[in-house]
Amino acid sequence: MRKSLRNNLGLKLLAFLFAFLLWLIVVNIDNPVMSKTFSGIPVIVEHSEILTEQKKTYQIVDDTQNVSVTVSAKRRTLSKIKAEDIIVTADIKEMYLDSQIPLEAVVIGYEGSYESAWTSPRNLQIQIEENISRTSNITPMATGEVRDGFVLGNLQTEPETVTINGPESLVNRISKVVAEVDVSGLGEDATLPSQLVFYDEDNNVIDQSRLANNLGNFGVNVAVTLYKTRMVPIHVDTSLIAVKEGYSISSVKLAPQEIEITGPDEALDAADSIEIPAEEFGGEIVNSRTDFTLDLTEYLPDGIQLADSMANSMIVTIAIERDGTKNFELPIGSITVINLDDDLRMSYAETDDLEVHVKGTKESLDSLNIERIAGIDLKGYKKAGTYTVPVQIELPADCSLEGDVTVEIILEKKENGG
């Protein structure tokens, strides 16, 4: 019997097969095939030159430039695989429907050690466009404030134009090209490096990652020219202003009386004042206080600009008085206030000077100081509110007011402790 067992080859093979199957079962139970998903794997596009040669470009759409990859492998192998081991490619040669490119995922360094790898989504979605070029002017723009005593004179880009290349839809969105420089603290002419910024018609910045331009690494510079500034007086010729019969001009007030100008040195040195000609007021008949509003830019000498372009407006105030009277400008801050209730605080509704007309002898009028003899009495005003109060003016016996003088005041209740 012992001999028959040693000579039974079939039984031996059956035992070996059983042992192998048992080992295989144990191994698979201990190291089973599993799957793991890796997210955010970037897609590498291959053979994009096919589109470039056709003067076309592409854009990845539907957020498919990063995909998820599921890898199936034995547990021990899978535990070693990292996201950076996974390469996902999209070959434009395999594109179909002019927008779909199949994705292929491989695990580098583990070839033959994993079962499979597949992506989600399975295709790269692209949009193909014509690639166009367009030349645009470059607009220089400065930020910051130059040193005191200077203003920006001229900004000039070097070069003045740029040729932009890229997808038709993106290039056509460009409304302006700006070269921006910071001139903070600048006190002399300078040429400063700048970066181009593209804007659409809504003044939104356009991403340049899909655009190219002919300036490349050379970039663009902005030549900044500074002008000095100086203050000059404003002179107004009022000789042609006509007044109502029996009246005369009592005063001419200018606001402002001087203005800051700028320009090239030669023009600035020659500009001593701003002259407003008499013809500006010709044909005007004035019968009461009149304000003329003028635009100073119309009277600037050649080559001269205002240092502040927004400060171009001035007011010429013509005050008139009847013959035998004198017109006074009474600052409301000079009015004496008496009998203000202790529980109230007072303010003026308006801060403009009051116009006071006084009739009298020339001697008395010439010596009269209206600011020292004007006051208001608030004895009868005990409640908060807005009131029009007569202004009392103690005049010499040979003088009298031409009309009543009033001022509008605001009374407010004091807060506790106020």
Side-chain angles (χ1 to χ4, degrees), residues 11 16 35 82 130 152 182 185 192 214 241 291 389 405 413:
L11 186 60
F16 175 78
S35 296
K82 301 182 293 294
E130 294 294 329
L152 281 175
D182 185 0
L192 305 176
N214 65 318
I241 295 180
D291 290 336
V389 179
V405 181
K413 195 75 172 177

Side-chain angles (χ1 to χ4, degrees), residues 186-316:
L186 197 64
E188 60 183 0
D189 296 349
T191 298
L192 305 176
S194 176
Q195 296 293 325
L196 295 179
V197 182
F198 301 158
Y199 292 91
D200 64 18
E201 60 181 9
D202 296 322
N203 219 34
N204 298 315
V205 176
I206 296 175
D207 181 11
Q208 299 184 46
S209 60
R210 298 179 58 220
L211 297 170
N213 65 73
N214 65 318
L215 301 184
N217 296 327
F218 296 102
V220 62
N221 293 322
V222 177
V224 182
T225 302
L226 299 186
Y227 291 155
K228 295 178 182 178
T229 66
R230 64 182 293 198
M231 298 295 297
V232 295
I234 303 172
H235 296 155
V236 177
D237 186 346
T238 60
S239 61
L240 294 183
I241 295 180
V243 297
K244 186 178 179 180
E245 186 177 353
Y247 289 80
S248 60
I249 295 176
S250 62
S251 67
V252 178
K253 295 177 64 176
L254 309 181
Q257 297 181 353
E258 59 180 8
I259 195 71
E260 189 176 21
I261 60 173
T262 186
D265 289 348
E266 184 176 348
L268 192 62
D269 291 340
D272 295 324
S273 64
I274 305 297
E275 302 291 334
I276 310 297
E279 290 75 17
E280 192 63 46
F281 309 97
E284 294 285 348
I285 299 177
V286 178
N287 55 19
S288 62
R289 174 174 169 165
T290 304
D291 290 336
F292 295 89
T293 301
L294 305 177
D295 184 353
L296 289 174
T297 58
E298 298 180 8
Y299 312 102
L300 296 176
D302 290 342
I304 293 299
Q305 306 170 17
L306 295 177
D308 181 358
S309 61
M310 302 299 291
N312 64 311
S313 181
M314 77 165 294
I315 297 176
V316 180

